Amino acid sequence: MRFRRLAQHRPVALGDLEVAVLRELWRTGTDVDARGVLDSLAVRRITLSTVQATLERLSRKGLLERTKVGRAYRYRAAVTQATLLAGLIGNLAQELAAGRLEPVIS
């Protein structure tokens, strides 16, 4: 899934794995480390380094917050699912209307 911008007007492109990781963090509602995410996504047959890279990308995009605990980071969603969805829908509407929402709304 590709999106041009989010509500904060930052470019956002979300891959399938990024979406799966976000869903898992929303589902748990708690801070999770990369190993915990990997364990919950075990059916995908991915490596720990892939999960770590995905978590880092989502953090750089402003969608996750992280806290260092010992030598590892723990991650939590920085936005709610509803907020992200609203931003993506708004951006899609803006893109479809080429920046002019009046034709879409009326």
Side-chain angles (χ1 to χ4, degrees):
M1 298 183 348
R2 291 189 66 73
F3 304 97
R4 291 258 185 224
R5 13 181 119 227
L6 192 56
Q8 296 88 3
H9 304 290
R10 284 184 274 187
V12 173
L14 295 176
D16 291 342
L17 182 56
E18 290 173 319
V19 171
V21 167
L22 281 168
R23 284 183 181 149
E24 180 57 25
L25 291 172
W26 287 323
R27 185 188 69 75
T28 63
T30 61
D31 293 3
V32 181
D33 63 7
R35 173 67 63 190
V37 174
L38 176 65
D39 291 345
S40 66
L41 299 176
V43 296
R44 286 183 161 259
R45 300 178 60 132
I46 53 178
T47 64
L48 180 60
S49 62
T50 299
V51 171
Q52 290 169 325
T54 302
L55 289 165
E56 177 59 29
R57 271 195 317 276
L58 288 168
S59 178
R60 282 194 313 256
K61 290 178 182 183
L63 299 174
L64 298 183
E65 296 173 347
R66 68 183 189 174
T67 305
K68 192 160 190 166
V69 178
R71 294 178 38 197
Y73 286 103
R74 295 189 62 82
Y75 295 86
R76 70 185 157 283
V79 296
T80 65
Q81 188 173 12
T83 299
L84 179 61
L85 186 57
L88 295 173
I89 290 171
N91 292 334
L92 178 61
Q94 285 282 7
E95 191 170 315
L96 290 174
R100 294 183 49 217
L101 277 180
E102 296 83 18
V104 175
I105 295 172
S106 56

